[in-house]
Amino acid sequence: MGQLLSFEDHALARLRARVAAAEEAREDLLAFARGQSGAVAAIHQAVLAAMEATDFDHLLHVVVQEWPLILGLDAVALGLIVGGQGFRVDSSGVQHCEAALLRQWLSGGELVQLRTVDRGHPLFGPACDLIGAEALIRLPDALPEAVLLLGQRGSQPLDGRHGSELLLFLGASLGAMLRRWTLNP
């Protein structure tokens, strides 16, 4: 003869599994919100630090020396095209680089590119060997033409649409400040 199934036990087990899944989803959402909140606060702090720059050189110092600490990154670099010449600005100073290397990225369609890499972009200079994840942010309205590079050792870049929106804000803010200092030195 057949077995009797307890629908009550089965329903209770399903309910417990659904409650556990909902609790896990809630924890994931809270962790994401806390991370986003921290990222937003760090981006805002970085922009405020740049806004306090007293001249163009000070702005470059803030970007490549202070932003890594503020944003919790391992490297920040800036590529600039000035008078047809390419320059790379990083923690070791300002160096010449191929303008074609910069134009290659500046002519692209995407404003932000987030990626995991085996080796960072050459514009990171000596730090490129340390980089496992990078964000390349094109500053389309900047004067001079510019690209901002953010790098970290780990392989977890800022993810998705929310990370890109924050980086677009950071890039747009830096572009506005670059215009300010190049048009009104």
Side-chain angles (χ1 to χ4, degrees):
M1 199 155 233
Q3 281 182 312
L4 287 175
L5 295 176
S6 170
F7 289 112
E8 185 178 323
D9 290 344
H10 180 68
L12 189 56
R14 281 186 51 202
L15 184 58
R16 284 185 178 138
R18 288 178 63 191
V19 167
E23 181 64 26
E24 184 178 339
R26 184 185 76 81
E27 291 297 323
D28 289 346
L29 183 59
L30 285 173
F32 174 77
R34 286 185 188 115
Q36 277 298 110
S37 175
V40 169
I43 297 277
H44 287 171
Q45 186 179 356
V47 169
L48 289 172
M51 287 173 64
E52 293 182 9
T54 56
D55 58 29
F56 188 76
D57 290 337
H58 187 210
L59 176 62
L60 296 179
H61 170 82
V62 168
V63 170
V64 299
Q65 297 287 341
E66 296 179 24
W67 279 14
L69 300 172
I70 294 170
L71 298 172
L73 298 169
D74 294 304
V76 174
L78 187 62
L80 304 168
I81 297 178
V82 180
Q85 294 186 359
F87 296 92
R88 174 176 60 85
V89 184
D90 64 14
S91 61
S92 61
V94 179
Q95 295 83 30
H96 283 276
C97 70
E98 290 294 322
L101 179 67
L102 295 171
R103 283 207 170 80
Q104 178 183 4
W105 171 247
L106 290 169
S107 64
E110 294 180 52
L111 291 177
V112 174
Q113 190 174 93
L114 305 168
R115 59 191 184 188
T116 301
V117 295
D118 293 327
R119 185 173 193 266
H121 194 283
L123 288 173
F124 281 114
C128 70
D129 291 328
L130 305 173
I131 304 302
E134 62 187 15
L136 285 73
I137 306 157
R138 187 166 43 104
L139 310 180
D141 298 326
L143 289 174
E145 293 178 89
V147 59
L148 174 65
L149 296 91
L150 309 175
Q152 60 188 29
R153 291 175 198 261
S155 60
Q156 291 293 102
L158 285 171
D159 58 344
R161 184 176 60 85
H162 298 292
S164 293
E165 288 174 1
L166 287 172
L167 296 176
L168 282 171
F169 171 75
L170 183 66
S173 299
L174 179 58
M177 288 177 250
L178 289 171
R179 275 192 313 278
R180 172 184 163 211
W181 286 113
T182 54
L183 295 176
N184 303 311

